[in-house]
Amino acid sequence: MVAQPKQAAPAPTSEYVLEAKNITVRFPIEHGADVVAVRNFNLQVKPGEFVGLMGQPSCGKSTAAMAMLGLVRPPGVIDSGVVNFMGRNLLTMMEDDVRELRGRDIGMIVQNPRYSLHPMLRVGDQIANVYRAHNQVTKGEAWKHAIDMLRMVGINDPERRVKAYAHELSSGMAQRVLIAIALSSRPRLLIADEPTSGLDVTIQAQFLDQMWDACRQTKSAVLLVSQNLGIMANYCDRILIMNEGTLVEEADVYSFFKAPKHEYSRSILRLQRAAIESGGADAAHIDEKAAPLIEVKDLSKLFPIRHSKSKVHAAENINFFIRPGETLGLVGESGSGKTTVGRCVLRLIEPTGGEILFRNRQANQVERVTDYSTNEMRRKRAKLQIVFQDPLDSLDPRWTVDRVLREPLDLHTDMTNEQKKARVIELMKLVGLEGAHYYALPREMSAGRQQRVSIARAIALNPDFIVLDEPTSALTPETTAEIIRLLMDLSAKLGIAYLFISHDLTTVKFICHRVAVMYLGQMVEIGSKDQVFNSPRHPYARALLSAYLFPSTDNRRVDRTVRETLKGEIPSPVTENLPKGCYLYGRCTSQVDRCKSAPQQLTQLSDGRWVRCWRVAQGEI
Amino acid sequence: MVGRFIAKRVFLAIFQLFGITIAVFFGIRALPADPVARLVGINASPEAVQQARESLGLHETKLQQLFNYLGVWSTSGKPGIFQGDLGVSWVTNSRVWDECIRFLPVTLEFITYALIIAFIIAVPLGMSSATKPGGAADRFTFVWGLFAGSQPEFWWGLMFVFFFFFQLNQWDLPHAPAPLGRLTPLTTEPPPITGFILVDSLLRWDFKVLFEAAHHLMLPTFTLVFVVSGAITKMVRQNMVRVVQSDYILYARSAGLSRRKVALYALRASMAPAMTLTAIIYGFLLGGAVPVELIYSLGGIGQYSIRSILQFDYPAIQATVLVIAMVSLIIYLVIDILHAVIDPRITF
């Protein structure tokens, strides 16, 4: 084999950058049948094209993406197939020649950015090592190039960051380091495997925009692997759907979202389609004039930090109410204090200040939840319930469904054994569980069924109010759709009010009547669903809604002329970190000097919504 | 930073050693043993017994004995630990500090060599068995670990002596020296500088002694290497297996780094636990290499401590425990510093 000069690119002999045919990846299992992770996988990517590869977790999409580099995680093997990159088959090339292509002509970004960087080496060295592996440069030049790359991917202060270790970076920043590595030699193809998992919505948008711009600049084609419909809809030109190791559908992005062909594709788009058809929850059955069921006034929660005077401001001056049968959505990025508010309302953690009022409909009087004694609180829990995020974690692994659902009846009622059994069966029917699961253990059921059990337990005692704390974030898109449907049915049938906490705006848009947006422990905007989703006013709410990638091809983010984003990252909510004036100061695009020092109050606008921004209140923006 | 860390650890070590001193002091006195009877014999007169008791200071209350030992509010008129004196052996009447200084380097020397060699063998072997599971290196490690690690070191010592000394001698082949100490009885040791005989003879340019000493240290060292490197290899292998499957190695490969670079990335990440294990084995061998010391008649600190225990030589027992604890603490400190040097996630 003739050695090639390092920079020479192979002559293009095909219209595709990448063309994979019939790839099969198998994982040998000791003492057992082998697992075939990818079966007969075909893929073509044209120069400059954004191709999306989508599927459920562990459907083989990441393995397929890796195989495009001729790599498999040990002990897997690529059994058959051809990967033609620029007309040469990667799978039959000499190992050293493939190695030269990797990182130079094919860049790779993977999920878990912090775990994909070596924990004991400076990120600068890692970028430089890759650059030097493909370009004949000195150590010093490579180091300089590393700094330039970090600047290009939008890391501020790259001279300092280049010396950092992986554990000193936020995952957003680590992800950018990976893209710096991947793009350092201007590859023709970038493979991005869940590049934004674990990132918050606004950071995700920032990052994907940067990736999109950088790739347009370097004219790279992109293979984007994700299970996020929103990313697919907003950034990709063409989409491939994978299920259990096999491709089931391939379509351009517009026709896919308009009319998916395969049964599986239809099932993952069901929630979106339902939302389009029915418009989601309607407020018809809610009495606008009814007295609030739950009213929260000036609620705050500060967590002390050990060995320090400063505190974590998880929630500050939270005010809201929920009417009977109404669903209030509480949205915000991680660390915004949503979960803290939900738990404080039920006094699962004690609020530091403020009061919570609850209209006891049986006694027809307003009671102060914050004044309940411990025993009283325990009795009231029958009416005030919660469903948690992780369905498996919130069920005792050794308890059968029967026992889980019987427990609240044992504690709060004096039913006979037969009555309890009848009630358990009734509850199971209500949440759509078959009788066959009566004696099932949590781990014997799917995550969706486990969540149904949690919901059944929450409604066992006819509660008036349930806090739903990210009830669908651990579920697949199709199960999510089913659970959201179920929750809406239960609310309509039993008149339960929900506080629905989620960062998934698609489900919030579907199930909620009103929506509150939180940022750094404060509520920045609260209004009806249409107000918040269609015309958000607070700069943060606007950025959040704009950054959120709705799974629809109308108004794609890459087609917009102005992409609203926030600068930087969310500061940690510790006393001395918090801005004196508006908490968004420093990231806001509409800030003026007064914002720096003037604390903001939640003010009601003429259309009924509340916004925490003086410029909005005065009609300036 | 490092200076403050070391200062903190040394400060802590003083308290640890003080605690050990007190625990050992009362511990051995709680044993149902009579050191006086052992010293003066069964047939001694009550007066002789009383006299011996008083000369050893055992007639005082236990608390007063402790004070005498420590050297504060002493009634014996002799210096104690606080004055830097560990006392006098009841059996040999020489200062236990001098004896420790004589016996400790013997043990330190051969276990240090053994562990360095074991580590050097274990790392590449563990790496290659991790990168090719089921390959020749992997199978060899498995069999070796099972075979060498499962049988006690004195047995292997015996077999080594039998084969490398006796059998090779019988066949008139080059063979190992007789297992009778660090040098042949006719050679005199070089005057100690470090106490390590190889180092000392090298420092004094005495190559005759150097080769002789190396020859004599060969078998005991390799006995230990044989027994402990299986465990270290397995540790390296296990970490490597984990590291090789890690995201950052996969990513390094996907970025097209050379094989050598990827191997270095992996090695860097899998070193630390093996180092810690080596340090733990080191600490254990300080007192636990007795069988090997005995078989090769090396006269190390382990052998000295066993002798002291059997003769109820309280000052010697206390001193050996203290000295071994001190060396272990130093080793752990060094390993922690090395650990922090290779792993930036660890902060002092």
Side-chain angles (χ1 to χ4, degrees), chain A residues 66 69 71 73-74 99 102-103 108 110 112 115-121 126 129-130 133-134 165 167 178 181, chain B residues 244-259 261 264-266 268-269 272 342-345:
Chain A
M66 264 296 168
L69 288 171
L71 286 176
R73 193 181 284 275
R99 200 182 51 63
R102 291 181 196 142
M108 176 103 194
V110 292
N112 293 332
Y115 295 104
S116 301
L117 291 169
H118 197 287
M120 303 173 191
L121 297 172
Q126 298 188 51
N129 281 342
V130 174
H134 302 296
Y165 293 97
H167 68 280
L178 286 199
I181 292 178
Chain B
V244 165
Q245 291 178 351
S246 74
D247 287 349
Y248 51 88
I249 293 302
L250 197 62
Y251 190 71
R253 290 178 62 206
S254 76
L257 289 183
S258 64
R259 265 164 184 281
K261 205 85 191 176
L264 283 177
Y265 271 35
R268 174 90 185 242
I342 64 168
D343 191 344
R345 285 170 298 183

Side-chain angles (χ1 to χ4, degrees), chain B:
Chain B
M1 276 289 258
V2 182
R4 249 191 69 197
F5 173 70
I6 295 175
K8 206 170 107 192
R9 285 286 290 268
V10 170
F11 182 73
L12 263 177
I14 291 171
F15 279 95
Q16 280 169 312
L17 290 176
F18 187 68
I20 291 170
T21 308
I22 292 180
V24 173
F25 187 90
F26 288 115
I28 46 178
R29 277 163 180 76
L31 292 175
D34 189 352
V36 181
R38 168 109 201 171
L39 279 175
V40 295
I42 309 166
N43 298 325
S45 64
E47 292 77 22
V49 170
Q50 184 57 26
Q51 200 189 351
R53 186 180 296 280
E54 276 175 28
S55 75
L56 297 180
L58 290 175
H59 60 294
E60 306 272 11
T61 60
K62 293 221 168 94
L63 197 61
Q64 186 58 52
Q65 289 179 34
L66 177 67
F67 288 143
N68 290 351
Y69 182 61
L70 294 177
V72 283
W73 304 305
S74 173
T75 53
S76 65
K78 284 181 229 147
I81 285 188
F82 288 170
Q83 286 81 38
D85 192 328
L86 285 175
V88 170
S89 164
W90 293 349
V91 179
T92 62
N93 259 333
S94 53
R95 287 153 49 89
V96 285
W97 175 249
D98 296 339
E99 297 198 325
C100 284
I101 284 300
R102 200 164 72 238
F103 294 126
L104 183 66
V106 179
T107 304
L108 283 187
E109 182 165 35
F110 86 95
I111 65 176
T112 305
Y113 300 149
L115 285 178
I116 290 174
I117 294 171
F119 196 74
I120 291 173
I121 294 176
V123 167
L125 195 59
M127 274 180 76
S128 50
S129 50
T131 40
K132 271 209 195 99
D138 194 22
R139 267 176 292 167
F140 175 71
T141 312
F142 179 75
V143 173
W144 186 18
L146 208 66
F147 189 61
S150 64
Q151 292 168 61
E153 61 270 46
F154 61 81
W155 169 249
W156 285 118
L158 214 58
M159 295 316 289
F160 277 24
V161 171
F162 170 74
F163 184 76
F164 291 107
F165 165 62
F166 178 75
Q167 199 60 58
L168 291 185
N169 201 359
Q170 291 280 299
W171 293 335
D172 278 330
L173 288 169
H175 58 88
L180 297 172
R182 300 209 283 177
L183 295 168
T184 46
L186 294 175
T187 319
T188 45
E189 282 184 33
I193 303 171
T194 61
F196 280 34
I197 198 162
L198 286 190
V199 179
D200 286 352
S201 51
L202 193 63
L203 287 176
R204 297 191 185 280
W205 292 101
D206 191 343
F207 289 102
K208 190 176 154 285
V209 176
L210 177 71
F211 288 123
E212 196 180 313
H215 199 199
H216 277 78
L217 274 174
M218 197 172 67
L219 277 194
T221 304
F222 279 106
T223 308
L224 277 190
V225 170
F226 195 66
V227 176
V228 301
S229 47
I232 304 176
T233 309
K234 282 196 167 171
M235 190 80 174
V236 174
R237 179 186 181 278
Q238 233 167 33
N239 287 306
M240 272 303 262
V241 166
R242 224 190 47 231
V243 168
V244 165
Q245 291 178 351
S246 74
D247 287 349
Y248 51 88
I249 293 302
L250 197 62
Y251 190 71
R253 290 178 62 206
S254 76
L257 289 183
S258 64
R259 265 164 184 281
R260 218 189 104 232
K261 205 85 191 176
V262 173
L264 283 177
Y265 271 35
L267 179 62
R268 174 90 185 242
S270 53
M271 276 286 262
M275 268 168 41
T276 308
L277 178 71
T278 311
I280 292 170
I281 295 178
Y282 196 100
F284 165 74
L285 282 183
L286 276 173
V290 186
V292 180
E293 289 173 14
L294 276 171
I295 283 173
Y296 296 100
S297 319
L298 289 175
I301 189 88
Q303 223 173 319
Y304 177 61
S305 59
I306 292 288
R307 195 220 69 193
S308 314
I309 290 166
L310 293 178
Q311 296 178 332
F312 304 129
D313 190 350
Y314 287 4
I317 296 172
Q318 282 159 194
T320 46
V321 173
L322 266 189
V323 165
I324 288 175
M326 207 156 68
V327 176
S328 302
L329 289 175
I330 292 171
I331 296 288
Y332 291 153
L333 177 64
V334 170
I335 283 296
D336 283 351
I337 292 170
L338 278 180
H339 209 149
V341 167
I342 64 168
D343 191 344
R345 285 170 298 183
I346 293 166
T347 47
F348 297 122

